[in-house]
Amino acid sequence: GFGGLNSVKPWSGQWENFVVVSPFLSLSTINEIKNNVTSNVALFTRQASVTQLILNGFTEAYVLNSLTDEEAEGNADSIELHAKIYYAEGADGKFLFVGSANATHNAFNGNTEFLLKIKLNEKHCKIDYSSFTDDLKQHDDKLFIKAYPAVNGQQTDNSAAQRKAVLNAVRGVTFKAVESGKSRYNIVWQPVAD
């Protein structure tokens, strides 16, 4: 609604399972969500929003699998998370909340934001917590990867460091030629001149 969504917070009431898709987060909002969900709470966000305190509020957490800020600069393939989606299931049914409100204190206490509340018809819509989160986690493009606390805005697990090393190595060479020899092909790489 207008002037704050305090009366229609998606996590109001008691939910068994809950999913947050939001690029921006605040600890107070995450704590409110955690206090109103009895079982699973999943998060899908961007790396810069992840801290250990934020992660403590979730059963599982994932970040957008995008280039680091340094890698994204000037890269047309860079992607950012803009979606704000909340999925809730409990005794009253299954609901999607879609709109402009991030999972932040300001979004639900003063900002002008909108959320569309959609009650899912369980007879015609077979979405549940597991299928909703699995679709995001197992998307063909690996859109989201497991979240780890950020250190200076960078992911701290080894897989991120390895991924960055591979990207840098690939960027450091350029395709030179394909040499054919009967039914075999050899690809030759040459370092890029500085």
Side-chain angles (χ1 to χ4, degrees):
F2 295 97
L5 294 169
N6 201 29
S7 62
V8 291
K9 292 178 180 177
W11 52 89
S12 296
Q14 285 293 314
W15 299 106
E16 292 171 28
N17 298 305
F18 199 85
V19 179
V20 175
V21 179
S22 176
F24 297 98
L25 312 166
S26 68
L27 187 56
S28 62
T29 299
I30 299 312
N31 287 333
E32 282 185 47
I33 293 169
K34 184 169 75 171
N35 292 333
N36 284 295
V37 179
T38 60
S39 191
N40 299 305
V41 187
L43 170 66
F44 294 85
T45 189
R46 60 194 187 96
Q47 182 59 48
S49 295
V50 177
T51 66
Q52 188 59 56
L53 287 174
I54 292 290
L55 289 179
N56 291 341
F58 294 94
T59 310
E60 53 186 322
Y62 300 87
V63 294
L64 188 65
N65 186 11
S66 65
L67 302 174
T68 64
D69 291 340
E70 180 181 290
E71 295 168 332
E73 194 172 306
N75 187 332
D77 295 331
S78 175
I79 56 172
E80 289 293 327
L81 180 64
H82 187 70
K84 291 90 171 179
I85 303 168
Y86 303 88
Y87 169 82
E89 64 182 37
D92 293 336
K94 299 174 184 176
F95 297 86
L96 274 177
F97 299 81
V98 182
S100 64
N102 285 298
T104 63
H105 175 80
N106 288 345
F108 289 92
N109 295 284
N111 285 2
T112 301
E113 305 282 1
F114 294 90
L115 281 178
L116 176 63
K117 180 180 181 180
I118 304 165
K119 182 168 186 174
L120 302 176
N121 181 328
E122 294 186 45
K123 182 178 178 183
H124 301 291
C125 184
K126 302 299 181 194
I127 293 175
D128 64 6
Y129 174 85
S130 293
S131 65
F132 190 83
T133 57
D134 286 350
D135 282 351
L136 290 171
K137 290 185 293 192
Q138 298 174 4
H139 188 273
D140 290 340
D141 296 332
K142 297 290 183 208
L143 189 59
F144 289 94
I145 56 175
K146 187 169 175 50
Y148 295 90
V151 175
N152 296 326
Q154 298 297 318
Q155 198 166 3
T156 59
D157 74 316
N158 288 336
S159 64
Q162 290 170 353
R163 183 175 157 269
K164 185 174 181 178
V166 169
L167 284 172
N168 287 337
V170 170
R171 287 187 186 124
V173 295
T174 185
F175 178 72
K176 180 181 177 188
V178 174
E179 300 170 356
S180 65
K182 295 189 179 179
S183 63
R184 222 172 65 189
Y185 293 91
N186 296 319
I187 298 175
V188 180
W189 294 92
Q190 174 181 334
V192 174
D194 288 330

